[in-house]
Amino acid sequence: MRKLSFIILLLSISITISAEGYQVNLQSNRQTGMGHTGAGQSLGATSIHFNPGAMGMMNSQFDFSAGGSAVLSSNSFEAGGIKEESDNPTGTPFYVYAAGKLTDNLVAGIGVTSPFGNSLKWGDEWRGRYLIQDISLQAIFVQPTLSYRITDCLSLGAGMSVVFGAVDMNRAISFQALDPFYQQATQNPSATAPDGQVNLKGNSVSFGYSAGLYYQISEKLSVGLGYRSKVEIELDGGDATFTHDEQIPTFLNMAMAMQGVNLPDNYLFFPDNKFSSMLPMPANLTLGVGWQASDKWFFAVDLQNVRWSAYKSLDFDFEQNTVTVEDSSMPKNFENTMIYRFGAEYALNPSVLLRAGVYYDETPIKDQYLTPETPGTNKTGLSFGFSWFINEGLSVDASILHIMGEERDSTMPLLPGTYNTSAWIPGIGLSYKF
């Protein structure tokens, strides 16, 4: 069937996940305070996320840690001298870890974390509304883990992840090509066709795994290697809901007839629909080193490789195809990236530990694929934190992270312009062991 040559209504829905935008590195307030290092450190139950192999070196019989953060982010877009800013909801990533010794050498634990997720709201009327109005993405990982200490210096571990994913997105649909019909119907030469909207919502359950090795080179020096697999969030049977002015179908039918395409009067151009798609959560490989420089000072360095090259395209398959709703495939061609992390910890006294860290996080998104769903840019993070030990086993952990994105120009034909992004992220948690 011929398509309207002058009406662009095809739903090429675009949802972008980026390592530096949706990969939330806030899985421990202790570690966030140190630039989110952790692969080369023995962290007790917290090692479930950073390096399962290190959990086998846990000294206590039981270890527990829980906390959360408040992501206060802002994004701006500027083109033609006009600047627009997002009004993002506060993100609330969280973590819960618990681990206990089954034997002197075998440790079992479970972690519940949200390492992927974000909320972005540009608004209903901004100039990029036909690409995105708002999006909410969340992935909660439940990870049972086992770790075994092979020798006094070497341990390994592995875990399985059950991932509960959800996405909710809104974007506007332009009916500008129908303006002449509205002008004729209202006898108003300046009348315009009101925008429509599509909401995409889906949930899934997926699976992944993690593994790690930890080696205590000496009393003061340790090294670790942690791996988290790619997880494919399969959105099968997601809901696609369309809203539009009641006159749109009538005018669309008239426009189609003018093109020589005759459709039934009750033809559904935008039926409530189902869709399938796949969103990848990338694999991560992290090498970490920890150094106890003195009784007071501890330093850590992590090199994290994020395997974004697996994300080559984003495909949508709609259950019902019409002349205005078709399946789509959009190239993404993401590139593998690195995150460089450094952290330091200072023992102020037996009850207080002070922390500071810095990291540099590369974007996987090329200029021609930069879109407002996640205005990806290279980012620098500066963090500070502390732990206050109420007693020998119980502590309060707090952190503050400031993320500064580099200004970046998009060459995307649909919406060229300049993006800026930044965030302040306070966090607090509790740790307990015995």
Side-chain angles (χ1 to χ4, degrees):
M1 181 177 292
R2 287 197 297 157
K3 305 295 187 295
L4 285 173
S5 60
F6 60 96
I7 300 181
I8 303 174
L9 297 173
L10 177 62
L11 279 180
S12 55
I13 306 299
S14 176
I15 302 174
T16 305
I17 307 172
S18 83
E20 30 66 46
Y22 281 94
Q23 181 162 295
V24 183
N25 295 301
L26 297 165
Q27 274 63 66
S28 164
N29 280 296
R30 284 188 174 187
Q31 303 317 120
T32 297
M34 293 180 63
H36 212 253
T37 56
Q41 304 169 53
S42 177
L43 305 172
T46 304
S47 290
I48 289 172
H49 173 80
F50 291 90
N51 179 1
M55 191 174 67
M57 292 293 182
M58 192 173 80
N59 292 321
S60 59
Q61 188 65 33
F62 175 81
D63 190 273
F64 173 83
S65 182
S69 302
V71 180
L72 311 173
S73 63
S74 64
N75 306 89
S76 68
F77 174 80
E78 186 171 358
I82 300 175
K83 184 177 181 179
E84 298 179 83
E85 296 185 353
S86 64
D87 183 19
N88 301 334
T90 300
T92 54
F94 66 92
Y95 61 89
V96 180
Y97 306 106
K101 285 189 173 183
L102 301 181
T103 69
D104 288 342
N105 294 329
L106 182 63
V107 179
I110 189 168
V112 182
T113 61
S114 52
F116 292 90
N118 199 10
S119 296
L120 182 62
K121 183 177 182 180
W122 285 102
D124 293 342
E125 300 300 327
W126 86 292
R127 78 186 85 179
R129 60 189 178 275
Y130 303 122
L131 293 173
I132 186 70
Q133 290 173 317
D134 58 78
I135 183 171
S136 175
L137 172 71
Q138 187 175 48
I140 296 175
F141 282 55
V142 179
Q143 182 181 321
T145 302
L146 285 174
S147 186
Y148 186 75
R149 180 164 56 188
I150 300 172
T151 70
D152 290 341
C153 299
L154 178 65
S155 60
L156 56 82
M160 183 188 75
S161 299
V162 183
V163 183
F164 300 90
V167 64
D168 192 341
M169 170 192 168
N170 290 290
R171 61 167 285 187
I173 304 173
S174 174
F175 294 107
Q176 184 178 3
L178 298 179
D179 286 354
F181 295 93
Y182 276 85
Q183 293 164 4
Q184 182 178 1
T186 62
Q187 298 299 305
N188 179 358
S190 61
T192 59
D195 289 342
Q197 189 181 60
V198 58
N199 171 259
L200 295 180
K201 184 182 296 185
N203 300 276
S204 75
V205 178
S206 305
F207 300 91
Y209 65 91
S210 64
L213 288 168
Y214 177 85
Y215 186 66
Q216 192 74 41
I217 298 173
S218 68
E219 185 178 337
K220 296 181 178 296
L221 188 64
S222 59
V223 63
L225 184 66
Y227 177 78
R228 284 187 287 128
S229 73
K230 180 179 73 171
V231 175
E232 296 184 345
I233 303 296
E234 299 280 355
L235 298 172
D236 292 324
D239 294 317
T241 304
F242 301 89
T243 56
H244 52 71
D245 182 74
E246 61 181 9
Q247 297 186 80
I248 290 294
T250 299
F251 292 151
L252 276 174
N253 223 327
M254 293 169 62
M256 293 294 292
M258 292 173 60
Q259 295 291 305
V261 179
N262 296 311
L263 297 171
D265 292 339
N266 61 349
Y267 184 81
L268 293 177
F269 289 92
F270 298 101
D272 285 345
N273 216 330
K274 297 289 185 179
F275 72 92
S276 297
S277 186
M278 189 277 289
L279 305 176
M281 307 295 176
N284 283 250
L285 180 66
T286 307
L287 175 67
V289 177
W291 177 40
Q292 188 71 55
S294 69
D295 292 341
K296 294 284 189 179
W297 284 101
F298 178 82
F299 299 99
V301 174
D302 276 17
L303 300 176
Q304 183 176 350
N305 180 238
V306 188
R307 307 298 297 174
W308 270 115
S309 62
Y311 193 18
K312 300 186 183 302
S313 68
L314 180 60
D315 304 322
F316 277 81
D317 180 12
F318 289 93
E319 187 176 275
Q320 298 183 62
N321 293 135
T322 71
V323 295
T324 49
V325 179
E326 288 190 341
D327 300 337
S328 65
S329 178
M330 290 152 288
K332 295 300 178 183
N333 296 320
F334 277 19
E335 300 175 319
N336 293 335
T337 63
M338 290 294 300
I339 308 176
Y340 307 91
R341 306 183 183 278
F342 174 78
E345 182 179 79
Y346 179 74
L348 182 66
N349 57 50
S351 298
V352 177
L353 296 175
L354 303 179
R355 302 184 179 95
V358 62
Y359 68 79
Y360 183 75
D361 187 355
E362 299 174 341
T363 178
I365 306 173
K366 301 176 184 178
D367 289 346
Q368 63 268 36
Y369 300 117
L370 181 61
T371 63
E373 294 92 2
T374 56
T377 179
N378 296 328
K379 293 182 173 71
T380 300
L382 296 175
S383 64
F384 300 92
F386 70 87
S387 285
W388 171 46
F389 287 84
I390 300 172
N391 55 45
E392 186 176 351
L394 179 64
S395 68
V396 177
D397 311 311
S399 66
I400 181 75
L401 171 63
H402 182 41
I403 298 176
M404 300 161 287
E406 299 174 5
E407 185 174 273
R408 189 173 183 195
D409 295 326
S410 171
T411 59
M412 181 185 183
L414 291 176
L415 194 68
T418 301
Y419 290 94
N420 279 283
T421 184
S422 64
W424 285 96
I425 309 174
I428 193 165
L430 288 172
S431 297
Y432 178 68
K433 63 181 180 181
F434 62 81

